Amino acid sequence: MDCVRLVNREHRLPHEESLWTKELVWIDHQTQLQPVCARALNAWISACGGEQEVTFVSGWRSYAQQHIIMKETEAERGWDYAHQFVAEVRASEHHTGLAIDLGIAGKDQDLICPDFSGPLAEKMHACAARFGFILRYPKQKTKITGISEEPWHYRYVGPLHAQIMNEKDWVLEEYAEFLRTCSPSHPYLYFDGQQHWALWTQSVSSTVDDGAAGSLLDETTRLIVQALDPAPVAIGKDRAWVELDSAALRHNLITLEKAMSDEQKIMAVLKANAYGHGLAPIAQFLSRQGVDHFAVATMEEAKVIRDLNPNAEILILGYVPACHAQEVSELKLSLTLTSYQQACQLSQTGYPITAHLPVDTGMHRLGEAAQDLDALARYYQLPNIKITGTYSHLYEADNLSPEAQVHTQAQIERFFAAIDGLKHRGIDPGRVHLQGSYGFLNYPELRCDLVRCGIALFGCIADHRSQTKLDLRPVASVHTRIAALRSLKKGEGAGYNHVWSAPQDTTAAILSIGYSDGLLRSSSFQGVEVLIHGQRCPLVGAMCMDQCFVDIGSLPAVIGEEVIVIGTQGTQSISALEIADRTGTIVPETLSLLRGRMPRIFI
Ligand SMILES: *Cc1c(COP(=O)(O)O)cnc(C)c1O
């Protein structure tokens, strides 16, 4: 919560700029923000219904960039102007990634956005504090802030600070001045409607040797925020739940898009309940970000997306029998023609159907052989079936060994030869696509129209399988709570069949998550760990349907405390990749096992 600092102490040296950049997420193609800020911004904009209209003019800037901006402005518009309108190097909140300049899409994107005063702006302004934002330079405070009014310039400070400043009608400088008067012995006590807080400041002067010392809001002061009573349990976060990091998802989408050519588009692969993340929330989020091609495995999944997005292309990758032709046609879904027999049956129903044709380039799963142009060509002649895409699938694009690369290159050549052959016969193959996530990361030079991204969007790429190193962040984390604690004497057994017994006197924590939530029952025999109190602790014994056991030794854990199954706590992280490795499977399986009974909560 201590985010009322203008200069970020941890990232003050130029050589650390690249390090700092890694901790930011892309929120659009130009703008990077701290994840905490990006999440709050996502929530703020969607609550106000401004997804389409709001654009972001700037986010993070390095010290070097700020220096250039300052110098250029001085040269162009004079010293006075520059120092009235441009924040100085090391005094700009842009270095922290916490400032947002907002604009209206399609309007002049100059930093002065005169249009940002319509109904949406008013709506967003009215509830800015609830999402942790303050208006940085209000009109009536220009004397205090020393800079002209900037009605579009918001800054994230966290909901608590924003609420206090809003109630007291303070700008940052006034708030900071007030906080300076609070000390450990005389903290500011505040009730935010749910919880009591104590706030005070402490000097960290001994470690500061910088010119910024002495100014009001800088790294010479540490702000302490202490909760005085336990945080109320948020709705849904009671037994076991999945958190979806909206900032990470947006960041991954933009990172992948930036890595593609302008002509390429993402086809978001959301089969298996969006790889266990939750189909509806993920499809809705991606739709709002402008994704308009989706792929799924079943009719049911396609219908969930169609309900949320009336215009997107939704391709069903799996088998759909002809008896669904009417519904497919009415909902304008795109089918994969999984065999000539199915294609003929679909054609005979008389309903107009849109489809993509798979080409077998070596996986031997679906489609006619790439070399058999006659067999491929006859699909395009079927009445009532309009083929708008032609695709294939790489069967070992995630394998970087030389032999595997030879196989993949052969697949690629067969595919493009088939496409060329079809074109030669005067057939339009429609949109061409070949790569999944690893196909894109390891063969980025291919110029297909669509890239089918599943696991990369969800940020679970194995480094050693990927040649392109993109900064992709995990979207899902899995959380549970301690339901009970048991002291066990050495040799005492716990759980079904006493499969496990305490190797020495210890404490077992009983977690409120089990195999019917989607953890493999075998994982407690395979060294899978969870995070409690920021420490790794092993699952032990036979996992139950809705509960499991952890040996926590002498950790001072308490009932009700949060436990991380997948995700980060303190300095420790457990990834889906780690769990997949330990349980002898692959990440898509680990994630797609996560059951629907766990609430999906966007953070
Ligand atoms: C599942 C699937 C994908 C997505 O694969 P990722 O490796 O998760 O990106 C792409 N194409 C097809 C045909 C698929 O079945």
Side-chain angles (χ1 to χ4, degrees), residues 269 271 275 317 365 391-393 434-439 452-457 588:
V269 182
K271 60 200 183 191
Y275 290 52
L317 297 166
R365 190 168 68 175
Y391 74 97
S392 188
H393 198 42
L434 178 60
Q435 302 138 293
S437 297
Y438 284 100
R452 301 185 304 263
C453 286
I455 200 66
L457 267 179

Side-chain angles (χ1 to χ4, degrees), residues 209-246:
D209 56 358
D210 185 85
S215 58
L216 248 182
L217 281 163
D218 59 31
E219 68 277 23
T220 59
T221 304
R222 181 163 292 152
L223 171 59
I224 314 285
V225 178
Q226 194 179 70
L228 294 180
D229 38 30
V233 172
I235 296 162
K237 298 187 179 185
D238 44 12
R239 189 191 68 87
W241 69 98
V242 178
E243 289 184 10
L244 302 172
D245 185 338
S246 55

Side-chain angles (χ1 to χ4, degrees), residues 22-286:
K22 283 201 192 120
E23 294 171 27
L24 300 169
V25 294
W26 290 102
I27 58 159
D28 67 14
H29 286 76
Q30 280 97 40
T31 313
Q32 285 185 293
L33 289 176
Q34 275 198 9
V36 59
C37 181
R39 268 185 227 115
L41 188 63
N42 279 332
W44 185 24
I45 291 171
S46 45
C48 295
E51 294 278 343
Q52 307 304 326
E53 294 111 299
V54 177
T55 65
F56 317 100
V57 183
S58 63
W60 179 78
R61 280 178 220 143
S62 68
Y63 298 121
Q65 286 167 323
Q66 190 70 22
H67 191 72
I68 292 167
I69 290 172
M70 191 56 143
K71 285 283 157 229
E72 282 179 356
T73 316
E74 269 180 23
E76 279 169 24
R77 313 188 76 153
W79 195 94
D80 284 351
Y81 182 92
H83 287 261
Q84 191 190 356
F85 291 104
V86 181
E88 295 198 47
V89 177
R90 295 205 161 170
S92 169
E93 60 266 50
H94 287 289
H95 301 319
T96 65
L98 292 175
I100 314 280
D101 290 347
L102 300 168
I104 292 287
K107 299 283 166 66
D108 185 8
Q109 282 307 299
D110 193 83
L111 269 183
I112 296 163
C113 293
D115 295 282
F116 198 64
S117 55
L120 174 63
E122 276 168 32
K123 212 191 245 179
M124 287 182 70
H125 187 68
C127 65
R130 186 148 65 84
F131 295 91
F133 289 90
I134 54 161
L135 185 58
R136 183 68 189 93
Y137 303 113
K139 199 188 196 102
Q140 75 279 19
K141 304 277 186 180
T142 48
K143 279 215 169 58
I144 301 163
T145 61
I147 197 158
S148 303
E149 178 208 9
E150 290 188 349
W152 65 91
H153 192 150
Y154 282 91
R155 182 171 189 204
Y156 182 80
V157 292
L160 179 64
H161 302 304
Q163 191 173 326
I164 296 171
M165 279 185 259
N166 194 37
E167 278 174 22
K168 305 267 188 189
D169 190 27
W170 280 337
V171 282
L172 213 43
E173 284 78 356
E174 292 168 298
Y175 184 44
E177 201 168 346
F178 165 74
L179 287 171
R180 287 265 165 140
T181 66
C182 306
S183 61
S185 51
H186 294 285
Y188 175 50
L189 299 176
Y190 181 74
F191 180 64
D192 69 3
Q194 292 204 316
Q195 207 172 347
H196 293 271
W197 302 91
L199 298 95
W200 69 91
T201 52
Q202 271 171 216
S203 167
V204 287
S205 56
S206 57
T207 58
V208 171
D209 56 358
D210 185 85
S215 58
L216 248 182
L217 281 163
D218 59 31
E219 68 277 23
T220 59
T221 304
R222 181 163 292 152
L223 171 59
I224 314 285
V225 178
Q226 194 179 70
L228 294 180
D229 38 30
V233 172
I235 296 162
K237 298 187 179 185
D238 44 12
R239 189 191 68 87
W241 69 98
V242 178
E243 289 184 10
L244 302 172
D245 185 338
S246 55
L249 184 53
R250 195 175 209 162
H251 168 86
N252 294 345
L253 176 66
I254 289 163
T255 303
L256 288 162
E257 283 174 346
K258 281 172 95 86
M260 290 174 193
S261 72
D262 288 347
E263 297 76 43
Q264 285 176 310
K265 297 193 89 177
I266 280 194
M267 173 176 262
V269 182
L270 303 187
K271 60 200 183 191
N273 198 25
Y275 290 52
H277 289 65
L279 178 56
I282 297 290
Q284 179 157 44
F285 188 88
L286 292 175

Side-chain angles (χ1 to χ4, degrees), residues 544-594:
C544 311
M545 197 178 252
D546 316 301
Q547 290 164 85
C548 62
F549 300 84
V550 183
D551 184 354
I552 64 166
S554 56
L555 266 192
V558 295
I559 289 176
E561 137 165 25
E562 184 173 329
V563 176
I564 299 291
V565 180
I566 296 175
T568 300
Q569 203 177 50
T571 57
Q572 289 285 334
S573 289
I574 293 179
S575 65
L577 270 166
E578 173 183 328
I579 295 184
D581 280 347
R582 287 194 197 243
T583 53
T585 181
I586 55 171
V587 178
E589 183 178 27
T590 302
L591 290 173
S592 65
L593 284 171
L594 300 173

